Amino acid sequence: MTRFSRRTLLTGGVGLAGLGVGAAAVGVGQELSEPATAPSTLPFFGDHQSGIVTPMQAHANFIGLDLIDAADHTALQGMLRLWTQDAANLTQGEPGFSDTEPELAGAPARLSIAVGFGPGAFASQVLAAKKPAWCAPLPAFGIDRLQERWGQTDVVVAVACDDPMTLAHAVRMVVAPVRRRMRVRWMQQGFHHRRNLFGQVDGTVQPSDDRHDDLVWDDGAEQAWMADGTSLVLRRIAMNMDTWEALDRRGRELSVGRSLDTGAPLTGTTETDEAVFSATKGGIPVIPESAHIARAHQRSDREQFLRRPYSYDLAPPGVDGDTSDSGLIFAAYQRDPLAQYLPVQQRLADHDALNEWTTPIGSAVYAMLPGARPGSYLGAPLFE
Amino acid sequence: MTRFSRRTLLTGGVGLAGLGVGAAAVGVGQELSEPATAPSTLPFFGDHQSGIVTPMQAHANFIGLDLIDAADHTALQGMLRLWTQDAANLTQGEPGFSDTEPELAGAPARLSIAVGFGPGAFASQVLAAKKPAWCAPLPAFGIDRLQERWGQTDVVVAVACDDPMTLAHAVRMVVAPVRRRMRVRWMQQGFHHRRNLFGQVDGTVQPSDDRHDDLVWDDGAEQAWMADGTSLVLRRIAMNMDTWEALDRRGRELSVGRSLDTGAPLTGTTETDEAVFSATKGGIPVIPESAHIARAHQRSDREQFLRRPYSYDLAPPGVDGDTSDSGLIFAAYQRDPLAQYLPVQQRLADHDALNEWTTPIGSAVYAMLPGARPGSYLGAPLFE
C-alpha cells in the first residue's frame, strides 16, 4: 500500500469543503472538553478514518448492521463504495449521493462516519482469509449479562457529530441506501460529557498522542490490508442509578478511587495527578485495591487503549419499578484487543468495586477499516 | 393573587445564580436560532413557568407520569413542593435537595423544568372543581393512530436544556424522588433544529411576542388559579422517511407549500414572507389548497398558538423492513386549546397533503401551571 502524507490530506480535506462552509461553533455546556474553536469539518480521506483519535464529538450513534447475504462479497464492496461516496460528501457539508434532504447536510459540525467489520463480514470465500485473528467475540466474563439485541453484528458504522440533526441525517444516509442488503440490529445513541451519569469524571487516563501509531493503529503485520486500521471493542454497560444513589458519597469515591468533585485520584489533588496505589493511611491503602482505577490501571506498557465513552439515558422500561435505563456506550480502540484491552477487562471482571452498580449488557468487536485514499473507497485493500 | 414585576424576578433569578455561574455558550450547529450569547440560566420563579415562551433549548425531554393514588391530593401537593425546591436549584446551577450527583448540576445551560396537569391530576375531591373545561383528551381525528404508550397521563414535566448531560441529570431529579407516588408512562426525548427530519423549515409562523398575554397565558377567567398558566397540547407525530423520500422534490414542496431550501412560501422568496394563498399561475393556485401551510393558516385571530416542535430519531424497531423511527414531538401552547388549536388541527386532519407521510401516534392535553412565587411552590393556588 502506498503511503501518503497525512498533513497533505488534512489540508486537502479542508480545502475540499471550502473554508468557512460551516461556522458551526460547538460548545454544548462548559464541561465539554472540545475547544470552542474546533473546525466544523473533519477530513474524510486519509491514512486513518476520522472519529477515532479525533477529539470526541458531542453526540454519537453506533449502528450495528447484519448482512442479508454474507456470502456475497460484491454486495459488501458495493456498500463500501456507496458509503465512501456519501461520507466523503456529508462530512464536508455536502449532500449525499441520493440525498433527499440536502438542506440537512449544510452544517457538518465535525461529522465523522467510520466503518468497521465484525467476524460475519468475513464470511464470504473471498474475505475468509482476511479476518484478523482477534476479530471475534470476547471471552465470556462472569459479570456479563449480555443481551442478543446489543450483540455482535457483521458491520458497525460509528457516526458522530456535534449537531444532533446533522447526525440524524447522516445516520439516515447510512441506513436507507443499503436496506436491501443489510438489516439494522441496533443503534446505540449517546452523548459525550467529561462526566458519566454516576457523576464521575471519566476518560482521564488515555494513551498520549505520540503513542497512537503503536497503540491504536494497526501496522499490517498480521493482515496487510489492516495497516492504519484499528480494532473497536464496543460494550454497552447498564448503570443502576437506583442502587448507586443509595450508596453514600464516601463509598462512591472509594469504589472508583477518585474524588467526585475534581476527579482527582484519592491520593492527589487534580484530575491529571497520577494515582499512587502504594499510598496508605493508618496502614490502609488510600485507594482500595478493589477500586475501579486500581483494577483498570495498566500493569504493562501494552495495557493501554483509547477510550471514547458516550452516555445514554433512555426512558425507563416501565416494569419492576425501574426508574432509569441509563449507562455507558464504552468504545475502546486499540491495535490488538487481546493484548491491550482483554487483560484490563479481565481484571475488572474478576473484581472491581463498581461492578455492583454496572452490568455489561452488550459486547462486540470490530476491525475498523483503514482510511480511504482519495479516488478509492473504504476497505478497497480487502478486495485487492 | 398578588402580581409582581416580571422584570424584578428575571433580575432576581440571575442574581440568585451569581453572574457567570455557567459560561455555557450554546450554539449547536449554525442553523439553530438561539443567539450564542444566550444567558446560561433561566429564571425559575416568576409569573410564568420558564420553558414556554423561552427561546427553544437544543434538547428536551417530556416526561409523562401517572399518579399511583390519584385520590390523594396531599401526595400531589408534596410532589409539587419537592419539584419546586429542586427545580429552583437545578435551573440556577445548584444541586437538587437529595442530589447524589451534584457535580452534574453546575452547567445549567438554560435548563427549564415546567409542570403540567392532565385530567387525572384533578381526580381528588379537593381538586375536582379546579379542572379547566378544556383539560381533556382532544376529540378523535380520522388520521390518528394513537398508541396508549404515548397517551394522556396525569402529569407532565417538560424538561429542556442546551446540554444533554444536564438534561439527563435534571430528569433523574424529577423522577427518582417521586417513584413511590408516580409511575413514568413515557419519556419523549427530542432535539431542536429549525428544520424537521423531512428537511422542512418548521416553526416559522408564531404569535408575536406582544400577543403572548392574550394568546398564550391564561387570564384566570374560567379557573382563577390558572391565571398566568397555559395549556399544552402534546402530539407525537411519526414521520415515514421511506415513503417521503420516494416523493420527488417538487411534490414535497407542493405538499408543504414552502420551498425546501429557503423555507419561503411558494409565493415568496424568504422564510418570513407572508404566504399569498390567492396567488395563481395559469389559473392554478401557486400554493395548493391542500398544502400544509394553506390548511394550517389561521382563519381568525384566535387560531394562533405557540409551537415548539422537537424532532426525535430513534433506532428502527427492526420489523417489517422499517428503516427509521423518526418524527416530531409537537408541543403547542395556547390559552384555550379548543378555541385556538382545535380548529386548525381539525382542518389538518380533514385534509392536509402531509398526512400521507405523517401519523399522529400520541396525544395529550395538559394544564401548565402558573409560575411559582418566591417562597411558595408550583401549583400552590390550587390548594388555597
Side-chain angles (χ1 to χ4, degrees):
Chain A
M1 177 182 166
T2 314
R3 303 284 299 203
F4 48 97
S5 152
R6 188 147 182 257
R7 176 167 299 277
T8 310
L9 280 165
L10 282 164
T11 318
V14 174
L16 273 175
L19 284 167
V21 148
V26 180
V28 192
Q30 64 198 24
E31 286 220 324
L32 288 193
S33 51
E34 279 69 54
T37 53
S40 64
T41 57
L42 298 175
F44 176 73
F45 292 106
D47 286 353
H48 310 298
Q49 294 194 84
S50 283
I52 294 172
V53 299
T54 314
M56 287 179 73
Q57 295 100 322
H59 303 273
N61 194 338
F62 293 87
I63 314 169
L65 301 125
D66 289 322
L67 294 161
I68 289 172
D69 180 0
D72 182 0
H73 74 278
T74 60
L76 196 58
Q77 203 172 5
M79 283 178 268
L80 291 168
R81 288 185 198 273
L82 191 150
W83 279 339
T84 298
Q85 177 163 285
D86 281 345
N89 283 328
L90 290 167
T91 57
Q92 307 307 310
E94 301 293 334
F97 177 70
S98 58
D99 202 331
T100 48
E101 288 85 33
E103 288 76 16
L104 299 180
R110 300 201 304 132
L111 174 68
S112 63
I113 300 174
V115 178
F117 279 10
F122 299 94
S124 67
Q125 277 198 316
V126 168
L127 296 184
K130 302 284 180 82
K131 187 167 78 67
W134 48 255
C135 189
L138 296 173
F141 302 108
I143 53 169
D144 287 355
R145 299 292 178 271
L146 301 183
Q147 301 173 12
E148 183 63 14
R149 60 183 290 227
W150 301 117
Q152 180 74 54
T153 60
D154 296 339
V155 175
V156 72
V157 185
V159 190
C161 188
D162 289 322
D163 180 328
M165 180 57 86
T166 303
L167 179 69
H169 178 60
V171 167
R172 179 79 194 147
M173 291 305 301
V174 167
V175 170
V178 302
R179 72 186 76 171
R180 281 177 193 81
R181 301 295 191 167
M182 312 185 86
R183 279 193 203 94
V184 174
R185 172 108 62 95
W186 42 250
M187 286 188 185
Q188 303 199 42
Q189 301 174 316
F191 52 93
H192 168 56
H193 193 279
R194 68 182 275 258
R195 295 183 186 270
N196 63 31
L197 287 157
F198 280 174
Q200 303 160 342
V201 173
D202 200 356
T204 304
V205 179
Q206 298 278 14
S208 59
D209 288 358
D210 61 5
R211 299 295 306 277
H212 289 168
D213 275 344
D214 69 318
L215 289 173
V216 177
W217 303 120
D218 195 284
D219 61 358
E222 188 210 332
Q223 289 285 355
W225 74 269
M226 267 297 287
D228 293 323
T230 185
S231 75
L232 164 63
V233 173
L234 191 68
R235 308 263 297 172
R236 190 171 182 89
I237 302 172
M239 293 162 58
N240 190 321
M241 300 300 291
D242 291 333
T243 55
W244 173 253
E245 289 172 0
L247 183 66
D248 68 17
R249 191 168 175 86
R250 184 69 189 149
R252 274 180 273 150
E253 293 188 329
L254 288 172
S255 75
V256 187
R258 290 186 182 276
S259 80
L260 283 164
D261 53 355
T262 61
L266 296 179
T267 54
T269 52
T270 65
E271 185 190 340
T272 50
D273 286 346
E274 203 142 330
V276 183
F277 297 106
S278 59
T280 58
K281 195 172 169 181
I284 297 167
V286 177
I287 299 173
E289 286 172 30
S290 62
H292 180 73
I293 62 166
R295 302 295 297 174
H297 182 68
Q298 66 180 87
R299 303 205 176 169
S300 78
D301 184 66
R302 286 319 281 169
E303 289 185 2
Q304 297 188 67
F305 43 88
L306 188 68
R307 292 176 293 152
R308 296 171 70 87
Y310 281 92
S311 293
Y312 69 87
D313 184 53
L314 305 175
V319 289
D320 300 333
D322 281 345
T323 60
S324 68
D325 179 3
S326 307
L328 204 66
I329 303 162
F330 178 88
Y333 296 91
Q334 56 283 305
R335 180 185 286 183
D336 181 344
L338 303 183
Q340 295 169 251
Y341 171 84
L342 189 59
V344 177
Q345 175 57 35
Q346 188 62 60
R347 274 201 304 278
L348 292 173
D350 291 344
H351 194 74
D352 170 5
L354 267 187
N355 289 344
E356 189 164 339
W357 306 280
T358 60
T359 309
I361 57 174
S363 185
V365 176
Y366 299 97
M368 299 303 289
L369 308 181
R373 297 162 57 191
S376 183
Y377 63 97
L378 282 171
L382 267 168
F383 303 94
E384 281 165 7
Chain B
M1 175 182 166
T2 314
R3 304 282 299 202
F4 49 98
S5 153
R6 185 145 183 260
R7 175 169 298 276
T8 309
L9 282 166
L10 282 164
T11 318
V14 174
L16 274 177
L19 283 166
V21 149
V26 180
V28 192
Q30 64 198 22
E31 286 219 325
L32 289 193
S33 52
E34 280 68 54
T37 53
S40 64
T41 57
L42 298 175
F44 176 73
F45 292 105
D47 286 353
H48 310 298
Q49 294 195 84
S50 284
I52 294 172
V53 299
T54 313
M56 286 179 75
Q57 294 100 322
H59 303 274
N61 194 338
F62 294 88
I63 313 169
L65 302 125
D66 289 322
L67 294 162
I68 289 172
D69 180 0
D72 182 359
H73 74 278
T74 60
L76 195 59
Q77 203 172 3
M79 284 179 269
L80 291 168
R81 287 186 198 273
L82 192 152
W83 279 340
T84 298
Q85 177 164 284
D86 280 345
N89 283 326
L90 291 167
T91 57
Q92 307 307 309
E94 300 293 333
F97 177 69
S98 58
D99 202 331
T100 49
E101 287 86 32
E103 289 75 18
L104 300 180
R110 300 200 305 132
L111 174 68
S112 64
I113 300 174
V115 178
F117 280 8
F122 300 94
S124 67
Q125 277 197 316
V126 169
L127 297 184
K130 302 286 180 79
K131 188 168 76 70
W134 48 255
C135 189
L138 296 173
F141 303 109
I143 54 170
D144 288 353
R145 298 293 177 269
L146 301 184
Q147 302 172 12
E148 183 62 14
R149 59 182 291 224
W150 301 118
Q152 180 74 54
T153 60
D154 296 337
V155 175
V156 73
V157 184
V159 190
C161 188
D162 288 322
D163 179 328
M165 179 58 83
T166 303
L167 180 69
H169 178 60
V171 167
R172 178 79 194 147
M173 290 306 301
V174 167
V175 170
V178 302
R179 72 186 76 171
R180 280 174 193 82
R181 301 296 191 167
M182 313 186 86
R183 279 195 202 91
V184 174
R185 172 107 64 94
W186 42 250
M187 287 187 184
Q188 303 200 41
Q189 302 175 315
F191 53 93
H192 168 56
H193 193 279
R194 67 182 275 257
R195 296 183 185 271
N196 63 31
L197 286 156
F198 281 174
Q200 303 159 343
V201 173
D202 201 356
T204 304
V205 179
Q206 298 279 14
S208 58
D209 288 358
D210 61 4
R211 298 297 304 277
H212 290 168
D213 275 344
D214 69 318
L215 289 173
V216 177
W217 303 120
D218 195 284
D219 62 357
E222 188 210 333
Q223 290 285 356
W225 74 271
M226 268 297 287
D228 293 324
T230 185
S231 75
L232 164 64
V233 173
L234 191 68
R235 307 264 296 171
R236 190 171 182 88
I237 302 172
M239 294 163 56
N240 191 321
M241 299 300 294
D242 291 334
T243 55
W244 173 253
E245 289 172 0
L247 183 67
D248 69 18
R249 191 169 176 86
R250 184 70 188 147
R252 274 179 275 149
E253 292 187 330
L254 288 171
S255 75
V256 188
R258 291 186 181 275
S259 81
L260 283 164
D261 53 356
T262 61
L266 296 178
T267 54
T269 52
T270 64
E271 183 190 341
T272 50
D273 285 348
E274 202 141 332
V276 182
F277 298 106
S278 58
T280 58
K281 194 171 169 183
I284 297 167
V286 177
I287 298 173
E289 286 172 30
S290 63
H292 179 72
I293 63 166
R295 302 295 296 174
H297 182 69
Q298 64 179 90
R299 303 205 176 167
S300 79
D301 184 66
R302 284 320 281 169
E303 290 185 2
Q304 298 187 65
F305 42 89
L306 188 67
R307 293 175 293 150
R308 296 170 70 87
Y310 281 92
S311 294
Y312 69 88
D313 182 54
L314 304 175
V319 289
D320 301 332
D322 281 344
T323 60
S324 68
D325 178 2
S326 307
L328 204 66
I329 303 162
F330 178 88
Y333 295 91
Q334 56 282 305
R335 180 185 287 185
D336 181 346
L338 302 183
Q340 295 169 252
Y341 171 82
L342 189 60
V344 177
Q345 176 57 34
Q346 188 62 60
R347 275 203 302 279
L348 292 173
D350 291 343
H351 195 72
D352 170 6
L354 267 187
N355 290 345
E356 191 165 338
W357 305 281
T358 61
T359 309
I361 58 173
S363 185
V365 177
Y366 299 97
M368 299 304 288
L369 308 182
R373 296 162 58 193
S376 183
Y377 61 98
L378 283 171
L382 266 168
F383 302 95
E384 281 164 6

